[in-house]
Structure formats: structure tokens, C-alpha cells
Amino acid sequence: MQHSAVLNVMIKAAHRAGRTLKRDLGEVEHLQVSLKGPRNFVTAADRRAEQIVYEELAKARPAYGFLGEEGGARAGTDKSHRWIVDPLDGTTNFLHGIPHFAVSIALERDGAVVAGLTYNPANEELFIAERGKGAFLNDQRIRVAARERLADAVVACGMPHYGRGDLALARHEIAAAQQNFAGLRRYGAATLDLAWIASGRLDAYWERDLSPWDLAAGMILVREAGGFVSDCDGKDAVLTKGQVVAGNDTMHRELLRLLKAAGNEASREPSKEAVAP
Ligand code: IPD
Ligand code: CA
Ligand code: CA
């Protein structure tokens, strides 16, 4: 399949970073049995992958801006274009040798995401999309699932942990999902959750407390695969609010309805858990 010049740049960067992460994954498994544990190592792995992605993208498009999870924002002379990069999404999975993690790269033009890529080097699955050109997995066109009944559908979500996020709200939302969907999944890599919506493996997904690099590429993958993406109030402030609800038209609408009802229930409940500042 012929890719555009900008996608070729993104694919080359993701493959190069993916090679070092695959090698590091082996090390991580080894390191997990050693004294210090992998955490420091992984951090080095995140940074190394981001540096590789930055070098490849900067070589091809030196004027573009860059926002990366590890290195933060780097301004470019071309104020219209900005890369948004998560060099290793699914760090906790990676730490445990769970082969479910990804390199994620998105290109923003004048504030709108116009191209996105999510690559899992462990199984070599490359998800790509460009505005108006559709979404693909390993060069095969992908579409969101067509399921209409919640009772047949599998939904994925994030789960607040380590004192992050609103535990009471999450408990109500998860209970509502358990009562209505055929299955509930927590996979631990937001970029892959969205890529799996785009490829029809998952029917619906929601999560809060995310960052632009967790969301940007996945947003265009789902939309170019015929799906719907919004924040938890059904608005288009996904990147600014750090929230996402995704699925086909029916799943998106139904999940928003469930989250709203769960939110009302949670707000009626006297708060027990202190939410971390
Ligand atoms: C995390 C993963 C996880 C999500 C967290 C993210 P990271 O990204 O996407 O699934 O629940 O909120 O921070 O830290 O592994 O790049
Ligand atoms: Ca990351
Ligand atoms: Ca991430």
C-alpha cells in the first residue's frame, strides 16, 4: 500500500523506536528477577524511544513543533504543525513483560489532528489513519464494529489507581457497564484501546484523566474507521479535558447515557473516598 510522505516519516520513526522497545522488553523480563527491578530501566526505555522518535521526525520536518510525554513541549518555527507523541503507552504492562504496549504518534495541523499512528512492536500491529483517507491495520482497511445491542458488546475502560481519579464515580460507571454490556475489559494502554475500537475488536471505550499523547492518534483512527469520539459530556473537548468516549454511533450514544446516569447516582451518594488533589 502506498503511504503519504508524512505517514512514511511517522512509520519509520515508530519502527525504529519499536525495535529498541522490543529489545528492552526482553531486558525487562530479565531485570524483573534482579535486585533493582525494572522501573529505572523502563524509564530509560521510555526516554530512549522518545529521543529516537524525535530525531526521526525532526530530521524529516525540522520546523514542526513536538509534544512528547517524557520530554514535554519543543517549539517549532512552523506554528501550524505539531507532533504529539507517546513513546511507550502501557508502561505498567511493559514493566511486567505484558506484550500489550505501543508507540503512538499524531500530527496536528492548525489545532486539528490530521494523521495518527499506533504501533505495538510486540505483535507488529501497525494502526494508521489520515484525515479523509480511512484507517488501516497492517495496510488492511478497518471499520468500527456494527453491533447495536449492549448485551452483545464488549466495553473497555480505564480504572483510577494509585490515588489518581474519582474512585466513587468510577465505581458507579463500572457497575453500570457490568449491568449492561456482555463484557468489561481493562487492558492498560489507552492508545491500543482506541485502535481496537477502530478495528472493531472492542465495541465501546471510556476513560478520564488522560493526556493528549494518550488520545490524539486514537481519535483520528476511530473517526476514520467510521466511529464517534467525544469527551464524557458528548462534547469535542477530548484533548483539553483528557476524557474519551468512543464507539460506533449507537454504542457512543448509549455509553454517554450510561455514564450520565452513573454520574447522577454518584453525585447523590455522600462522598466516602477523599479524592487526591
Ligand atoms: C497510561 C495508559 C493507561 C491509562 C493511563 C495512562 P502510560 O499511559 O494508557 O492505560 O489508564 O492513564 O497514563 O503512562 O503507560 O504511557
Ligand atoms: Ca507513556
Ligand atoms: Ca500513555
Side-chain angles (χ1 to χ4, degrees), residues 47-152:
R47 288 208 189 92
R48 194 175 19 251
E50 182 160 313
Q51 190 53 30
I52 289 169
V53 171
Y54 175 72
E55 282 165 11
E56 280 298 326
L57 298 180
K59 197 166 46 183
R61 298 287 186 281
Y64 287 12
F66 184 94
L67 173 64
E69 176 174 9
E70 305 311 332
R74 308 183 206 200
T77 51
D78 172 343
K79 300 301 175 199
S80 300
H81 291 95
R82 180 176 72 151
W83 301 109
I84 303 176
V85 172
D86 192 339
L88 172 44
D89 182 48
T91 302
T92 305
N93 288 347
F94 189 84
L95 259 166
H96 291 261
I98 299 168
H100 187 75
F101 57 89
V103 180
S104 193
I105 304 172
L107 176 60
E108 195 184 54
R109 180 179 298 140
D110 300 322
V113 178
V114 293
L117 170 160
T118 293
Y119 173 56
N120 181 347
N123 61 8
E124 309 219 346
E125 287 197 331
L126 176 69
F127 299 87
I128 57 172
E130 215 171 343
R131 194 162 59 179
K133 300 183 181 171
F136 301 82
L137 164 54
N138 293 349
D139 292 345
Q140 297 300 311
R141 186 92 188 228
I142 50 177
R143 302 279 311 165
V144 293
R147 285 181 202 86
E148 298 277 321
R149 285 170 15 99
L150 299 190
D152 303 332

Side-chain angles (χ1 to χ4, degrees), residues 12 40 65 94 149 191 244 252 264:
K12 188 171 175 213
N40 290 343
F94 189 84
R149 285 170 15 99
T191 60
V244 67
H252 177 254
N264 294 340

